[in-house]
Amino acid sequence: DIVGAEIARELFAQDARLANVFAVSGVFSDIKGTSPAQAIATAMTKIRMGRSWGMNEADAMQFIYFTNGRPAVMSEAIAAKLKDAGWDWDLRWYEDKGKCVGCGLFPKKRNMATGQYEYLEEIDPVDPSKKRAVEVKFTKQDADVAMIWEKGKQIPLSQKWNFVSWPNDMYFSRCISRMKKRYAPNVLSGAISIDEAGDIQQENTTAPARASISLEKLSKSSDPNRGHDQTAVPAPAKRAKTEAEP
């Protein structure tokens, strides 16, 4: 359809111009230190990926990061999107001698018919004839056996500097991420929390050659069907797989 194609082209051009503004602003730390082309391409990817997750452009720039080759989202954004999708939870803290050693969430989902929240239930392992409220938890016991890389060596997650400094925040972050994975995988589908992404051992990757093209000319062009050298590029339907590339 001609109208739909024209709208898609204009949206692409608008995103490119906005990505250029974000990149030139110099206020986003995760794209500082990259080439102008890579900064614009990363901003463009954030904008379009964020839109698919229901985020506006500003939130996409603020909450989406690319860490160790994975798209990652800050935990507060995951929590906000879960609430937008009708989820809520009760919170339990685990403590030992006054120090936080874990967090537990009791998920509940809004019943669209009644408007009331209902707790998720599971079979009680002690008495299979009964059910109990689901608890999603992440404790020091989990963190002790989860090995991550820090400063070139493997250590238990519980010894990572942010778990030692801010245990409440970190245990809650892991709980929110675990709740999304287990019970709401359709929320921010494909994303993981930025804390988890940071614990993945980084692989050696080579940036694609096309990241070096000048997107400055693209951002100035009103025709997104023209490349940086003003040569025609494939039609939108065939470009779908490359629009999200850096």
Side-chain angles (χ1 to χ4, degrees):
D1 138 327
I2 297 177
V3 175
E6 182 60 32
I7 292 175
R9 284 193 292 270
E10 176 54 34
L11 181 60
F12 186 92
Q14 178 181 314
D15 288 345
R17 292 191 293 269
L18 189 55
N20 185 65
V21 172
F22 284 136
V24 172
S25 71
V27 298
F28 296 97
S29 60
D30 59 318
I31 57 178
K32 283 184 178 180
T34 62
S35 69
Q38 287 176 316
I40 296 172
T42 301
M44 181 79 161
T45 304
K46 282 188 170 193
I47 291 170
R48 298 185 75 82
M49 185 173 286
R51 182 176 296 121
S52 72
W53 287 337
M55 294 184 184
N56 61 42
E57 295 84 351
D59 284 347
M61 288 298 300
Q62 180 180 0
F63 294 120
I64 298 176
Y65 290 82
F66 296 95
T67 306
N68 291 340
R70 296 285 301 273
V73 180
M74 295 182 70
S75 297
E76 60 188 281
I78 296 177
K81 287 300 178 182
L82 284 170
K83 295 217 170 191
D84 288 346
W87 290 92
D88 204 346
W89 51 84
D90 289 340
L91 179 63
R92 169 193 287 176
W93 295 109
Y94 292 89
E95 295 186 349
D96 181 23
K97 298 178 181 178
K99 182 179 180 180
C100 176
V101 292
C103 173
L105 302 177
F106 293 88
K108 48 189 177 182
K109 188 78 165 61
R110 185 171 61 242
N111 185 315
M112 301 304 295
T114 64
Q116 301 296 314
Y117 283 93
E118 300 174 353
Y119 288 99
L120 297 188
E121 294 183 332
E122 63 183 0
I123 295 175
D124 190 331
V126 178
D127 185 353
S129 65
K130 297 180 180 180
K131 290 187 177 182
R132 66 179 186 182
V134 168
E135 181 183 13
V136 180
K137 62 182 179 180
F138 194 90
T139 67
K140 187 176 182 297
Q141 183 177 359
D142 297 306
D144 283 340
V145 298
M147 302 300 293
I148 57 100
W149 288 87
E150 186 174 65
K151 297 180 180 180
K153 64 179 182 179
Q154 275 194 313
I155 62 170
L157 180 62
S158 57
Q159 294 180 16
K160 189 177 180 181
W161 67 272
N162 50 6
F163 268 80
V164 174
S165 301
W166 300 291
N168 294 67
D169 291 338
M170 302 314 299
Y171 284 118
F172 176 77
S173 174
R174 291 301 173 118
C175 274
I176 282 291
S177 180
R178 182 169 281 185
M179 175 179 163
K180 173 191 122 48
K181 286 179 183 177
R182 292 181 178 178
Y183 302 106
N186 58 315
V187 174
L188 298 176
S189 180
I192 62 176
S193 74
I194 192 171
D195 303 304
E196 289 178 300
D199 294 333
I200 298 174
Q201 185 177 10
Q202 188 170 11
E203 298 177 358
N204 292 326
T205 57
T206 302
R210 64 178 295 156
S212 64
I213 67 172
S214 174
L215 292 184
E216 181 179 356
K217 293 181 180 179
L218 173 62
S219 64
K220 292 179 179 178
S221 171
S222 61
D223 184 1
N225 289 324
R226 293 278 169 180
H228 69 288
D229 56 359
Q230 298 305 304
T231 58
V233 296
K238 296 181 180 180
R239 287 189 295 107
K241 293 184 179 180
T242 64
E243 287 179 355
E245 293 179 0

